[in-house]
C-alpha cells in the first residue's frame, strides 16, 4: 500500500438506502482456507474467497513456499497442497502487504518448518508489533530478528524437532492462538494452547474439517484448552466461504443510521465468536432480523435485514470485545448518532491494529461534530439522538481500511460531506465497498 497514490473521496448521504447486497467472503476464513489447503496433501477447492489484497498476500506467500494456488475463470480457487512439514524455502522475502493476519499466522506456520525467510510489509503493517507471536514462538526454538526488535522487516528461522507447546494466551487474540496452532501442526506430540477468554474459533472448526486431531475442553470459568496433535496429515477439502460479518456491519450500520432505509445482506457468517456487534446493536434498539439461517461447511450462516432505527446508548461489557474487536470503528459511528451515552472499555487491542483505532476514531468523530472522549482503553460517546452530525471534515484514515469505511458510512447522516484522505486501503478487505454503497443509494 505504501506505493499506492492516495485516493481521497467525499461521502454524503443522498436519502434512504435500500436493496439486497452480498459482502465479500469472510477474511478470517479465507486466510485459513488457503493455509490449511496448502498444508493438506492433494487438491482443495475454495469458493467465495475474499479476493482482497490481504488474502492475496497470503496466497502469494504460500505459492512461494511450494503450494500451487490458482483462480479459475468461474471464481473458484484451486489449491494443491504440499503437506505439513513439506513447505519449501522461499527464494525472496514474503511480502505481507497490509495484512497483520497473514504476517502473524504465517510466522506460526514457518516457525516449525525448516525455513529461513524475511517477512516484509507496507508502511502501516511495519508499525504493528509482532512480539505477540514472535515471543511465544521463540519458546519452541524458532528465531526472530526484527527491526527495532519487534517490527517488520523481520527475519524468521524455523526449527525442526521442537518439543510440544504448552502456551497460555496473555491476551485475547485469535491471531496468536492460530499462530500457535499452526506451529503445533508440525511438532511431534500433543500441544496445548490455553485461552482464558474465547476468541473466534474458525481455526478449530476448519482444522477438524481437514482431519486434524484436535480437541477442545472448557473449564467452569470459560477457559478453553485446545489440544493439537502434531505431525498432522491434513486431507483436502472443498470450502464455501460465507460472507464476512465484519464487512456486513458497514451496510447494516449504514441502514440503521440513515432515515427510511431497509437493507438486506445475504449469506453472512454468524459464528457466535464473531457476532458481538449485532448483539450490541440489538441492545441499542436496532431493528435487525436474521432469516434463512443455515449451516455451510460447519459455519452458521444467515441473511441480515437491517431497518433504520432509533438507537440508544449502552455500556458495552469488556468481555464481549473479542467477538467484535474489528467492528468497533463502525460501532462507534452508530453510537455517535444514538440517544444518550455509550461507554466502552477493555479495548487496548484497538491501539495495535492497522492503526491506533481508538485515537483515530475519537479524533475523526470529534471532527465531524460528535461528542466523544478518549480514555486509556475505550471511548465514551454522547450520541446525537439521531440528528445528523455536522460533517465537513477531512478524516485521517492512517491507511486503515476500517477507519476509511466507517467514516464513509458516517457521511450518510451528516449535514456536510465527510472527506476521507485515502480510500485505497479499503481494497485490502472490501474491494466492492464503493460500488455496494452506490447500489444501495440508488435503491
Amino acid at each position: 500500500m505504501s506505493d499506492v497514490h492516495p485516493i481521497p473521496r467525499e461521502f454524503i448521504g443522498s436519502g434512504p438506502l435500500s436493496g439486497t447486497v452480498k459482502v465479500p467472503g469472510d477474511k478470517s476464513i479465507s486466510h485459513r482456507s488457503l493455509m490449511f489447503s496448502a498444508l493438506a496433501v492433494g487438491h482443495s477447492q475454495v469458493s467465495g474467497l475474499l479476493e482482497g489484497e490481504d488474502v492475496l498476500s497470503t496466497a502469494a506467500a504460500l505459492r512461494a513456499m511450494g503450494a500451487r494456488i490458482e483462480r479459475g475463470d468461474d471464481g473458484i480457487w484451486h489449491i494443491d497442497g504440499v503437506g505439513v512439514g513439506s513447505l519449501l524455502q522461499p527464494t525472496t522475502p514474503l511480502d505481507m502487504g497490509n495484512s497483520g493476519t497473514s504476517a502473524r499466522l504465517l510466522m506460526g506456520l514457518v516457525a516449525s518448518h525448516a525455513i529461513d525467510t524475511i517477512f516484509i510489509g507496507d508502511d502501516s503493517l511495519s508499525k504493528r508489533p509482532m512480539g505477540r507471536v514472535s515471543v511465544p514462538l521463540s519458546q519452541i526454538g524458532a528465531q526472530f530478528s526484527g527491526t527495532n526488535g519487534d517490527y517488520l522487516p523481520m527475519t524468521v528461522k524455523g526449527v525442526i524437532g521442537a518439543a510440544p507447546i504448552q502456551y497460555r494466551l496473555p491476551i485475547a487474540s485469535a491471531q496468536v492462538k492460530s499462530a500457535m496452532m499452526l506451529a503445533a501442526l508440525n511438532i511431534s506430540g500433543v500441544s496445548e494452547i490455553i485461552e482464558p477468554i474465547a476468541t473466534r474459533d474458525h481455526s478449530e472448526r476448519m482444522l477438524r474439517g481437514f482431519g486434524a486431531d484436535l480437541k477442545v475442553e472448557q473449564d467452569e470459568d470459560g477457559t478453553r484448552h485446545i489440544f493439537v496433535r502434531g505431525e498432522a496429515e491434513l486431507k483436502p477439502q472443498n470450502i464455501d466461504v460465507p460472507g464476512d460479518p465484519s464487512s456486513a456491519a458497514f451496510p447494516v450500520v449504514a441502514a440503521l443510521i440513515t432515515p427510511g432505509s431497509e437493507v438486506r445482506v445475504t449469506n453472512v457468517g454468524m459464528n457466535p465468536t464473531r457476532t458481538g456487534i449485532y448483539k450490541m446493536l440489538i441492545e441499542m434498539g436496532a431493528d435487525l432480523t436474521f432469516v434463512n439461517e443455515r449451516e455451510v461447511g460447519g459455519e452458521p450462516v444467515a441473511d441480515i435485514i437491517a431497518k433504520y432505527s432509533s438507537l440508544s446508548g449502552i455500556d458495552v461489557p469488556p468481555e464481549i470485545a473479542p467477538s467484535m474487536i474489528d467492528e468497533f470503528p463502525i460501532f462507534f459511528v452508530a453510537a455517535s448518532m444514538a440517544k444518550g451515552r455509550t461507554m466502552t472499555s477493555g479495548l487496548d487491542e484497538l491501539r495495535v491494529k492497522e492503526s491506533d483505532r481508538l485515537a483515530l476514531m475519537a479524533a475523526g468523530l470529534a471532527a465531524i461534530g460528535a461528542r466523544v472522549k478518549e480514555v486509556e482503553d475505550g471511548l465514551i460517546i454522547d450520541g446525537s439522538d439521531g440528528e445528523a452530525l455536522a460533517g465537513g471534515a477531512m478524516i485521517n484514515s492512517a491507511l486503515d481500511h476500517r477507519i476509511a469505511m466507517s467514516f464513509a458510512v458516517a457521511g450518510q447522516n451528516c449535514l456536510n460531506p465527510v472527506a476521507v484522505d485515502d480510500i485505497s486501503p479499503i481494497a485490502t478487505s472490501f474491494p466492492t465497498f464503493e460500488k455496494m454503497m452506490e447500489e444501495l443509494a440508488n435503491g
Side-chain angles (χ1 to χ4, degrees):
M1 296 297 301
S2 59
D3 58 351
V4 175
H5 188 72
I7 305 173
R9 171 86 186 268
E10 287 188 342
F11 296 90
I12 186 70
S14 57
L17 303 174
S18 64
T20 298
V21 294
K22 183 176 181 179
V23 296
D26 184 286
K27 188 164 72 161
S28 295
I29 296 176
S30 293
H31 280 298
R32 289 160 174 81
S33 67
L34 292 176
M35 292 182 194
F36 299 151
S37 295
L39 291 174
V41 177
H43 184 77
S44 295
Q45 295 185 19
V46 181
S47 58
L49 188 85
L50 168 61
E51 296 180 4
E53 292 175 2
D54 282 11
V55 175
L56 297 182
S57 293
T58 289
L62 293 169
R63 286 192 194 99
M65 292 186 285
R68 179 175 172 270
I69 303 176
E70 295 181 352
R71 182 189 188 277
D73 292 339
D74 56 1
I76 295 176
W77 287 72
H78 300 265
I79 304 97
D80 290 303
V82 296
V84 173
S86 297
L87 294 175
L88 303 178
Q89 170 72 38
T91 58
T92 59
L94 300 179
D95 189 349
M96 302 292 100
N98 187 245
S99 179
T101 300
S102 301
R104 292 178 177 136
L105 267 62
L106 288 172
M107 283 182 183
L109 191 62
V110 166
S112 60
H113 283 75
I115 290 175
D116 187 347
T117 190
I118 300 172
F119 283 75
I120 62 175
D122 71 3
D123 289 345
S124 174
L125 183 60
S126 298
K127 297 174 183 175
R128 299 178 64 184
M130 295 294 145
R132 60 182 54 192
V133 292
S134 65
V135 170
L137 290 170
S138 295
Q139 296 176 15
I140 69 171
Q143 298 177 29
F144 297 82
S145 177
T147 303
N148 296 323
D150 201 19
Y151 298 89
L152 302 185
M154 179 173 281
T155 299
V156 181
K157 186 175 183 179
V159 62
I160 294 293
I165 304 166
Q166 185 182 53
Y167 182 71
R168 184 182 184 91
L169 272 71
I171 57 172
S173 171
Q175 289 182 356
V176 177
K177 173 179 69 173
S178 297
M180 303 307 290
M181 292 168 65
L182 281 160
L185 290 175
N186 198 38
I187 296 176
S188 180
V190 178
S191 293
E192 179 185 7
I193 295 95
I194 304 167
E195 185 179 43
I197 301 174
T199 63
R200 58 187 64 176
D201 64 352
H202 302 306
S203 292
E204 296 95 307
R205 289 173 183 255
M206 193 175 293
L207 276 174
R208 285 198 192 100
F210 274 87
D213 185 347
L214 185 150
K215 298 177 181 178
V216 179
E217 298 177 0
Q218 185 163 312
D219 297 339
E220 291 184 0
D221 65 359
T223 299
R224 299 172 77 240
H225 300 259
I226 304 161
F227 300 94
V228 181
R229 182 173 295 278
E231 298 185 333
E233 296 182 9
L234 303 187
K235 301 176 178 65
Q237 299 293 307
N238 292 336
I239 301 168
D240 185 10
V241 180
D244 194 317
S246 298
S247 297
F250 294 100
V252 164
V253 170
L256 296 177
I257 66 172
T258 307
S261 297
E262 179 174 342
V263 170
R264 181 170 183 148
V265 189
T266 62
N267 196 48
V268 181
M270 289 282 107
N271 186 302
T273 65
R274 298 285 303 283
T275 54
I277 186 170
Y278 301 112
K279 295 173 185 175
M280 292 299 97
L281 289 172
I282 289 170
E283 188 170 328
M284 294 175 80
D287 186 345
L288 298 180
T289 307
F290 303 90
V291 298
N292 196 19
E293 296 179 294
R294 57 206 186 277
E295 189 169 289
V296 177
E299 293 279 348
V301 173
D303 297 354
I304 305 174
I305 300 173
K307 299 179 182 179
Y308 171 69
S309 303
S310 177
L311 303 176
S312 297
I314 60 171
D315 290 351
V316 179
E319 58 268 22
I320 204 167
S323 68
M324 60 180 292
I325 197 67
D326 287 332
E327 293 77 60
F328 272 104
I330 189 62
F331 176 79
F332 293 147
V333 170
S336 73
M337 299 181 189
K339 179 180 180 180
R341 172 169 288 186
T342 295
M343 299 185 66
T344 62
S345 60
L347 306 184
D348 308 79
E349 176 76 2
L350 291 186
R351 295 203 183 276
V352 291
K353 284 289 189 176
E354 282 84 338
S355 65
D356 181 341
R357 287 179 172 165
L358 288 179
L360 284 173
M361 287 303 301
L365 287 171
I368 63 173
R371 293 174 293 169
V372 56
K373 178 182 179 182
E374 179 185 353
V375 295
E376 183 177 356
D377 63 345
L379 298 185
I380 300 171
I381 299 172
D382 290 301
S384 68
D385 195 10
E387 295 296 319
L389 296 176
M394 171 67 78
I395 303 299
N396 172 23
S397 65
L399 294 175
D400 189 323
H401 54 130
R402 298 197 196 280
I403 300 292
M405 287 187 285
S406 295
F407 283 100
V409 169
Q412 291 293 319
N413 195 26
C414 285
L415 298 174
N416 299 290
V418 174
V420 177
D421 64 345
D422 188 3
I423 63 167
S424 62
I426 292 174
T428 63
S429 68
F430 203 153
T432 57
F433 174 78
E434 287 181 90
K435 180 180 178 182
M436 177 201 70
M437 294 300 294
E438 290 172 2
E439 290 175 352
L440 292 176
N442 293 329

